[in-house]
Amino acid sequence: MTIIRILPHQEYCPMGASVQVPVGTSICEALIENGIALEHACEMSCACTTCHVIVREGFASLGEMEETEEDLLDRAWGLEPNSRLACQAIVAKTDLVIEIPRYSINHAKEKH
């Protein structure tokens, strides 16, 4: 089992959280299965950027990004060098620390 520590986020987990998940689970699945309702407007099909997370620790343990994820991340709000789409980032044996960005480009949610 791998531990994912989620830094505090005003909407999704104000106190922060720590979850234990099996290796091979996507970060998105791990959060949702543990009661953290991370946005995933495309239902985890790698077609949007609403599940964008910043991996503060353990980034190198995640598999390499495919071109589709790289292209989509260019549109994510608050992009950083250690950004990933949570639906595509598969948990390995290394514990992770992630940050959920303050905003996303989910226009439906933001009422644009």
Side-chain angles (χ1 to χ4, degrees):
M1 297 290 266
T2 301
I3 296 171
I4 301 175
R5 189 166 61 91
I6 302 96
L7 298 176
H9 183 281
Q10 183 177 349
E11 182 179 349
Y12 298 110
C13 55
M15 303 301 287
S18 187
V19 298
Q20 230 179 2
V21 300
V23 170
T25 306
S26 75
I27 292 174
C28 193
E29 291 170 320
L31 272 56
I32 292 165
E33 289 171 4
N34 284 280
I36 300 167
L38 181 67
E39 286 187 64
H40 55 288
C42 70
E43 298 298 321
M44 297 185 259
S45 65
C46 195
C48 72
T49 63
T50 59
C51 70
H52 168 226
V53 296
I54 302 163
V55 183
R56 297 292 181 203
E57 292 179 21
F59 182 81
S61 71
L62 302 171
E64 285 194 42
M65 276 188 255
E66 292 190 12
E67 189 174 337
T68 305
E69 180 182 2
E70 287 183 30
D71 291 345
L72 281 170
L73 274 172
D74 287 340
R75 295 187 253 156
W77 185 91
L79 182 66
E80 294 191 13
N82 51 344
S83 289
R84 289 296 303 260
L85 295 181
C87 70
Q88 300 300 300
I90 306 300
V91 174
K93 293 180 181 179
T94 302
D95 292 345
L96 304 170
V97 175
I98 64 163
E99 179 179 351
I100 302 169
R102 185 172 181 167
Y103 301 106
S104 79
I105 62 165
N106 188 348
H107 295 293
K109 181 177 180 199
E110 300 298 328
K111 298 176 180 64
H112 291 234

